[in-house]
Every structure is written in structure tokens, then in C-alpha cells.
Amino acid sequence: MTTPTPLIFEGRASPLGATFDGHGVNFAVFSQHATRMQLCLFSEDGKREMHRIDMPERTGDVWHGFIPGMRPGQKYGYRAFGPYAPEDGFRFNPNKLLIDPYAKRLTGHPVWNDALMGYKVGDPDGDLSFCERDSAPFMPRSVVEDPSFSWGHDQPPRRHIADTVIYEAHVKGATKLTNLPHAGTFLGLATDPMLDYLTDLGITAIQLLPVHAFVNDRFLVEKGLVNYWGYQTLGFFAPDPRYLASGEIAEFQQTVARLHSAGIEVILDVVYNHTCEGDQMGPTFAFRGLDNTSYYRLTDGNARYYVNDTGTGNTLNVEHPMVLRMIMDSLRYWVEVMHVDGFRFDLCATLGRTATGFDPGAAFFDAIRQDPVLTDVKLIAEPWDIGPGGYQLGSFPPPFLELNDRFRDGVRRFWRGDDGMVSVLADHLTGTAGKFDHSGRPATTSVNKITSHDGFTLADVVSYNEKHNEANGENNRDGHDANYTDNLGVEGPTDDAEILAKRLQRRRNLMATLLLSQGTPFLLAGDELGHSQKGNNNAYCQDNELTWINPRGADWEFRKLVRKLITLRREHPILRQKHFLHAKERVIDGIEDLFWWRADGTPMRVEDWQDPALRTLCAEMRTASGTPHYGAREDAIFLVFNAGPALEITLPKVPEGMGWVHLFDTAAPDTDVHDRDASTVRTPCEVAGEAVQVFELQKL
């Protein structure tokens, strides 16, 4: 039985996407070069294509129409007509069902089949050939959604960045091996035990690996693997269906509300630099079929090929106003409708690249900086890509923070015992001032990390000298080779008690350095529990117990140490100041607030900084509050980072009635300071080999 074709009226060109207004649904989709646009409507179960309706109106480059009486839940897609001329950049093929780039929900994921390609697979002409097979049987459907949600009294925590501790987690991996309800989904993160776990640890923001709808790459599926991390975006407005327990987008909103109720912000890892459609041999899911020349950057002289600054086969054309609008609309949607608190931009250098190279004044950055919604949330740049001039650490405009890989490498090398690393550690300890102390940027600009999803876990940093990525099926060729790790005598697992003790101490030192440094600390979920990936430093395709965090058999004693360090950081604002510390007079208040000391209690000299064999760094930090003398409880902190053998340290002289009080020692992490008199330090004092110690100046 056929149903009558719904009446469609001209509707509106804005907003883009499918918008329910209580009376019907307005459809609007961008295509600059299409000659005809069809709206495809599907049955309630999404299996049958019921109607193909020509969009009745075009305003500029937006095709639009309004269907009265239509309700949320309607499944739909598009077919775009136009030239198929790959050498000119055009790849229109109406045989391919296209996802709405603004779809707020998708029914699932593409099922790999040659029909998904715009060309005939196996044809001698390759992508210049034309495929007439219908891709609809293998494509998910876009779904009309009303994203209204009863937020109640939800308020963004709006944590000051100086008070922020970021916890990078995978939605599935964080809870899959727990007994929590809805483990492995958004709702699993929203359970009371998970909220209690995060708040007890001291986490203020959870950064989620990509949750935008994404695709499992065909080459992975054919090897029995999947895209676990999610850096192949299919839709920039839709949560990935695999993380929705019942398929309702309200589950994501409920999760955000629950995290907010615990005082935890939600930061999304977003991928606006490329899409999942790959290069010229890739599938036609949405953007390529709607308007290839607008959505993508194509090579000069031959528009058949794609600029590949991202290493994924294509690069979004952010300089096109409608592509930039899509990105901005997506960001605002996730803030205003889904209530997220910030974004981490994957390969952010790509978003700032113009025809003349990377530009901190590029349209993307200017659009962000003038937007009153987006300047009120946390923005973190991954400051590199593989394109020309791709490494841009320190070059992003305020208010962007930047992931600091140099912190990671420098701190690892210091504790590994590499020569000449004391001066490098000093720079990172003070917010990597050499890179970020300019243009009025705060010390919190540096997002300090020892580990992250793309690399070794903390347990593996101290257990492996080499990567072990054989499970990825690429003959161990993938993943970084320069990891600056140290297995401390044995590659991988060992029963040797001495080696295990050294590895534990090294983990303590690395974590302590992270949480005692100026900047914004960034922790990888599972590091606090000793999670290992068995030496795999590129586990992007491992959706299994290699990447899932297992609370059973975890190192709960190490978690206590991490919690103690986060508490120490929270209770001592001097460790997380906004202003950069300087060993010379500050421009702001004319007061010295940073002193570098030798172990014998005398100031560091030029030749000391240049000594490649030096293994100990002693730093005295004072408040940047303008107080010109000692007196208040938070006047000074003294930090010792000793990567060498045990030695005696002479602490700086202090005024009468004051003394240095011992706060923390990685060599004796279970020692708690309760009695101030008993913990007052007599100088010189001993610092254990390969250890971190913290002292505070207090009135006696």
C-alpha cells in the first residue's frame, strides 16, 4: 500500500538541517553547485524509501522546504543532482543516499559495500567511472529530532581554568568493565559510582574522545577491527549511536546534567579538520555528494585530488563561509543545546591554515573569538598537523589553550636520565614560558600532559622501550617511534621486585611533576590505576580489554597518591597561578617570585644550567599576589626534582619565626603531615635518589 506524497512548501533557508517547530518540519541543506536536490523520506522502521520529493525552493546556495504535520522521528536523507566530473572537483551522484550534515541523530552506521562508492569499484577508470547502484540499503538514516530537554536547574560549573584538572576518557572504555548500569554508554558515565569516583579523585573536567557520529574504516572492518577512538566523523551534530543505550539523544543531555551536578565540566574532542569520506577513492556519505568542491580543499591544477594536511585523505575547506558556518553552528549547538563546557580541537593547525600557510588570524579563529557563546567555554588546540608548517605550539591566539607535547617529552626525558634536561624541566615547570609567555596569555595556556590516548599509558612508559602494536595488523609500523620511555631493565611484564619498585617510583615522579607544574594538568583515564595497553602506543582500533579500564586488580595505592597530589595542588594556589613566574622582577608588580637554587643553597649559575650531567632541580616559588615579603601561609613553596642519587639539600634561609614544612615525598608517599612542629625541616636535609619533595614556608 502506497502513501500519498506529503505536501511540501517553500519553507525557510535558516536554520540549516531539519527543524521541528510544533507544526511541521523545515528542511534546509547547503549545496552551491547542485542542479537539483531531492528529500528522501523513509518508513517508520527506516527500511523502505517511501518518497523522493524535490526541494521546492533555493535561496542563494541553500535548498529548503517545509512539510506541515511532520513530527520528530521521521527518517530522511538527500540525493543531490549535478555534474559528475572528478577532474573538475564535482562528484554528484543521485544514486547515493546522503546524510544531512546537520542531522541531530542517525539510526546507525554505514554497512560497507561497493555501492557506497560514487564510482565503479574495479573499473579501469577508477574514481573517474560512475556507479549507478543505489547506496540506500547500506546507509543509516538521518532522523528528525526535537532536542528540547528539561534541564531543570542545570548550571555549567564554569571552573576557573587555574582550578581545572582534565581527565581524558573514552565513553566506552571508562565503564565497560564495571558492573554499572548501561556500562560502555553515556549513561554509564552518569551513574553515582562514576561521579563519586571522579569527584573523590579531584577531577574537575572530563574530556571525552570523539562522540560525534563516526565511521568504522573499511580496512579495519575487513581485518575484524573497529575505529575505537572515533576520529572519522560522519556527522557533526549527532551523538554516535553506539554510545546511546536506547538511541535517544536525551541520554547525552542527561549525562551532562549529572556531571554538572557533581561539579564536573564536559569537554568534547572534536574533529573539524577532515571527515570520514577519505580521498578520491573513498565513499560518498554526505559532504562529497552534496558539494565536493565547497566542503573540501582540492589540489591546485587537478581538482580530482584532495589536500591531505590531516593524513586521513582529505581536509575540510574551512575558508568556505558555509563550511565555517557548519562548524560554528555545530559548536554552538553542543554548547547551547547539549550544555557542554568546552572543546579540544583535533589537528587545530589545519583549521588555521590559509592559502599562505598557518595564520593565527585565520577566519576560524576570528569567528571563534567574536562569538559570545564560544568565548565563554574552554577551547583547547592540538597545535599541529602533518601539513606545511604544521607544528604551531605557542602560536594560537587567546583564549585558546594548547596541548603541550614538549612538556610530555621533556619530563619523560628528565626522569629517564637524559643529559642536559634540567633547564628543559625548569621551563616546563613554569608553564613552558618560552613558548606561551607572550600576547598576554596566562600560564594556564599550557595543557600539560605526560600521556594521552595517542601514545603509551603511564604504566607502559616505565615498562617498554619499544612500541608493540602488532595487534593493529600493520606489522608494528604504525604509532610513534620517539617515545622517550624506559623499561628499567626488562621489556614488558616482570616479577622482579626491584624493577617493579623502580617502575612504581618513576610513575610517582612523573605524576608528581605533572601536578606540581604551572599550567593546566591533563590526566589519561586509567593512569591512576596502573592501566597497561601491553606496549601498544596506537590503540585506535582496539575495542577490547586492551583499552577498557579494568577496576579489578587495579593499583589502588597509586590512585591514592594521585588523589593526594591533586589535593595538594588544590590546597596550594601557588602551584596553579595564572601569571607566569619569573626569576627576574615581574612587570606587573615588580616582585621576584621565582628562584632557582643549587643543592648547596646558593643560586644557580649559568654554568650549572649548561651542565649536561646535572640531575637535580630546586625551585622556590612565591605568590604572584604582590606581597613584597614573607608572612602569609602561601608565601612560598620549595620543590626538589632529583633524577640522580640521594643527596643533601640546603633550603633557603627564612626570617625568624618561620620554617620550611615538609609536605610531600614520592619516596615516602604515605607520610602524612599532621604535626607542624614535627614536620618542620632542619636544613640541610636528605632527598632520596630519583624522588620529588615538596616543602612549604609557614609561620612556626
Side-chain angles (χ1 to χ4, degrees):
M1 179 178 178
T2 60
T3 58
T5 301
L7 292 175
I8 187 167
F9 299 92
E10 69 173 60
R12 306 182 308 278
S14 181
L16 291 167
T19 306
F20 174 66
D21 66 0
H23 301 286
V25 177
N26 190 80
F27 294 90
V29 61
F30 158 74
S31 180
Q32 182 177 344
H33 297 101
T35 57
R36 178 185 174 195
M37 187 71 64
Q38 279 186 339
L39 173 66
C40 304
L41 302 179
F42 290 82
S43 59
E44 186 175 351
D45 61 8
K47 293 181 179 180
R48 291 176 296 143
E49 188 172 358
M50 306 297 291
H51 306 287
R52 297 185 186 182
I53 306 171
D54 282 351
M55 296 291 273
E57 190 65 47
R58 176 175 179 172
T59 301
D61 297 326
V62 177
W63 303 75
H64 53 93
F66 179 82
I67 300 180
M70 183 172 283
R71 308 287 298 176
Q74 174 67 54
K75 278 76 173 179
Y76 72 101
Y78 289 108
R79 296 181 187 270
F81 295 75
Y84 188 83
E87 290 176 314
D88 296 322
F90 300 115
R91 294 179 180 269
F92 292 100
N93 187 335
N95 300 293
K96 309 306 166 184
L97 182 72
L98 306 176
I99 287 169
D100 180 359
Y102 278 69
K104 297 178 177 65
R105 180 161 71 91
L106 299 177
T107 58
H109 303 90
V111 176
W112 283 106
N113 186 281
D114 289 348
L116 295 172
M117 308 300 173
Y119 60 92
K120 292 181 182 178
V121 175
D123 190 285
D125 290 332
D127 65 299
L128 299 180
S129 62
F130 185 80
C131 178
E132 296 181 352
R133 292 181 61 189
D134 186 4
S135 69
F138 311 101
M139 284 291 291
R141 316 306 185 211
S142 304
V143 184
V144 176
E145 278 285 342
D146 179 0
S148 300
F149 182 76
S150 179
W151 286 99
H153 299 292
D154 178 68
Q155 290 292 328
R158 298 190 186 279
R159 296 271 192 176
H160 192 285
I161 190 60
D163 302 328
T164 295
V165 179
I166 299 173
Y167 186 80
E168 185 190 37
H170 187 279
V171 172
K172 183 175 183 179
T175 62
K176 179 61 178 176
L177 293 179
T178 68
N179 293 319
L180 298 174
H182 306 299
T185 68
F186 292 123
L187 292 179
L189 295 174
T191 56
D192 286 341
M194 193 65 187
L195 299 182
D196 292 343
Y197 179 90
L198 294 172
T199 54
D200 178 73
L201 186 58
I203 299 305
T204 70
I206 185 168
Q207 179 177 303
L208 300 177
L209 268 71
V211 302
H212 290 171
F214 61 90
V215 165
N216 292 318
D217 309 72
R218 188 172 194 172
F219 79 95
L220 291 176
V221 173
E222 290 174 348
K223 291 192 295 184
L225 300 171
V226 299
N227 177 4
Y228 177 65
W229 286 351
Y231 291 92
Q232 289 285 38
T233 305
L234 178 62
F236 295 107
F237 293 78
D240 193 276
R242 74 194 77 194
Y243 302 141
L244 298 171
S246 66
E248 300 298 324
I249 65 172
E251 293 178 21
F252 179 86
Q253 295 164 308
Q254 180 181 342
T255 299
V256 172
R258 292 277 293 153
L259 286 161
H260 282 179
S261 71
I264 299 171
E265 295 182 309
V266 179
I267 297 172
L268 300 186
D269 193 335
V270 288
V271 188
Y272 295 112
N273 57 79
H274 75 280
T275 79
C276 61
E277 291 185 311
D279 61 15
Q280 71 278 2
M281 305 307 293
T284 297
F285 291 143
F287 315 95
R288 173 174 285 136
L290 283 169
D291 197 339
N292 188 60
T293 61
S294 294
Y295 276 106
Y296 293 115
R297 292 177 58 202
L298 307 177
T299 58
D300 292 335
N302 192 343
R304 175 184 177 183
Y305 301 108
Y306 296 77
V307 172
N308 187 22
D309 289 344
T310 64
T312 64
N314 66 58
T315 303
L316 273 177
N317 184 16
V318 181
E319 289 192 279
H320 192 290
M322 293 302 286
V323 179
L324 179 58
R325 175 179 170 181
M326 177 186 71
I327 295 172
M328 298 297 291
D329 285 348
S330 170
L331 292 169
R332 281 189 292 264
Y333 174 78
W334 287 96
V335 173
E336 294 184 305
V337 178
M338 308 300 259
H339 283 207
V340 304
D341 306 282
F343 304 95
R344 177 265 197 192
F345 294 90
D346 180 64
L347 302 184
C348 198
T350 299
L351 301 178
R353 184 170 285 106
T354 67
T356 57
F358 178 82
D359 181 2
F364 170 75
F365 297 127
D366 286 349
I368 291 276
R369 297 175 73 188
Q370 62 77 43
D371 192 289
V373 172
L374 300 179
T375 53
D376 203 31
V377 300
K378 293 178 172 64
L379 305 171
I380 304 171
E382 183 181 46
W384 51 77
D385 65 11
I386 67 167
Y391 190 78
Q392 292 293 332
L393 183 72
S395 301
F396 288 74
F400 278 85
L401 312 179
E402 299 182 37
L403 284 171
N404 190 350
D405 62 323
R406 290 195 178 181
F407 180 97
R408 174 198 64 201
D409 296 346
V411 172
R412 287 187 186 183
R413 293 185 64 194
F414 174 83
W415 287 111
R416 192 173 68 169
D418 291 9
D419 286 346
M421 298 307 297
V422 165
S423 61
V424 174
L425 179 63
D427 184 43
H428 295 319
L429 185 66
T430 53
T432 315
K435 276 291 182 183
F436 298 114
D437 189 8
H438 62 83
S439 308
R441 305 183 82 181
T444 49
T445 297
S446 176
V447 178
N448 300 330
K449 64 174 185 174
I450 300 293
T451 58
S452 60
H453 70 276
D454 51 345
F456 284 109
T457 68
L458 184 61
D460 290 352
V461 167
V462 301
S463 302
Y464 294 90
N465 285 349
E466 307 293 336
K467 64 184 182 183
H468 296 270
N469 299 352
E470 290 81 4
N472 297 352
E474 300 178 44
N475 297 316
N476 207 34
R477 293 190 302 265
D478 61 305
H480 293 294
D481 293 313
N483 297 291
Y484 308 112
T485 60
D486 181 7
N487 65 22
L488 291 160
V490 173
E491 186 75 354
T494 180
D495 294 327
D496 188 306
E498 183 178 353
I499 291 176
L500 291 173
K502 288 181 178 179
R503 289 178 176 178
L504 175 58
Q505 182 62 14
R506 182 69 56 84
R507 282 196 289 145
R508 291 170 179 161
N509 293 337
L510 289 165
M511 188 62 74
T513 308
L514 172 68
L515 290 164
L516 295 173
S517 295
Q518 304 292 321
T520 304
F522 175 104
L523 283 70
L524 173 63
D527 275 355
E528 77 280 10
L529 296 173
H531 176 69
S532 170
Q533 292 177 172
K534 299 180 181 179
N536 191 319
N537 75 346
N538 188 36
Y540 74 103
C541 56
Q542 299 297 324
D543 185 5
N544 49 52
E545 294 192 13
L546 188 72
T547 53
W548 302 341
I549 299 169
N550 191 347
R552 294 178 289 277
D555 188 346
W556 291 95
E557 285 300 310
F558 189 74
R559 183 189 181 278
K560 286 172 57 179
L561 172 109
V562 176
R563 180 180 182 274
K564 188 172 185 177
L565 282 164
I566 293 175
T567 301
L568 179 68
R569 181 181 182 88
R570 182 176 64 246
E571 292 178 349
H572 296 83
I574 198 168
L575 296 171
R576 47 184 173 81
Q577 300 186 64
K578 175 183 177 182
H579 297 295
F580 283 96
L581 301 170
H582 290 278
K584 297 181 179 179
E585 289 188 354
R586 290 167 47 82
V587 175
I588 295 175
D589 52 30
I591 299 167
E592 293 179 87
D593 49 27
L594 177 64
F595 302 85
W596 302 110
W597 298 101
R598 289 159 42 102
D600 62 7
T602 60
M604 286 279 284
R605 303 165 300 184
V606 172
E607 54 266 35
D608 296 321
W609 290 114
Q610 297 173 345
D611 181 2
L614 187 63
R615 295 289 186 270
T616 305
L617 178 67
C618 302
E620 180 187 356
M621 298 178 178
R622 301 183 187 175
T623 55
S625 62
T627 305
H629 54 75
Y630 292 122
R633 180 178 182 274
E634 282 292 341
D635 275 332
I637 291 284
F638 189 82
L639 306 172
V640 181
F641 300 87
N642 179 30
L647 78 167
E648 284 194 339
I649 296 288
T650 300
L651 280 73
K653 294 181 180 179
V654 297
E656 185 82 19
M658 303 193 74
W660 291 105
V661 173
H662 180 262
L663 291 183
F664 183 77
D665 184 355
T666 58
D670 294 329
T671 302
D672 287 316
V673 178
H674 298 294
D675 185 343
R676 181 176 299 180
D677 293 334
S679 59
T680 301
V681 177
R682 296 184 182 276
T683 187
C685 64
E686 184 168 310
V687 174
E690 295 198 31
V692 177
Q693 286 201 19
V694 183
F695 306 87
E696 180 186 34
L697 187 68
Q698 294 185 5
K699 288 183 178 180
L700 301 179

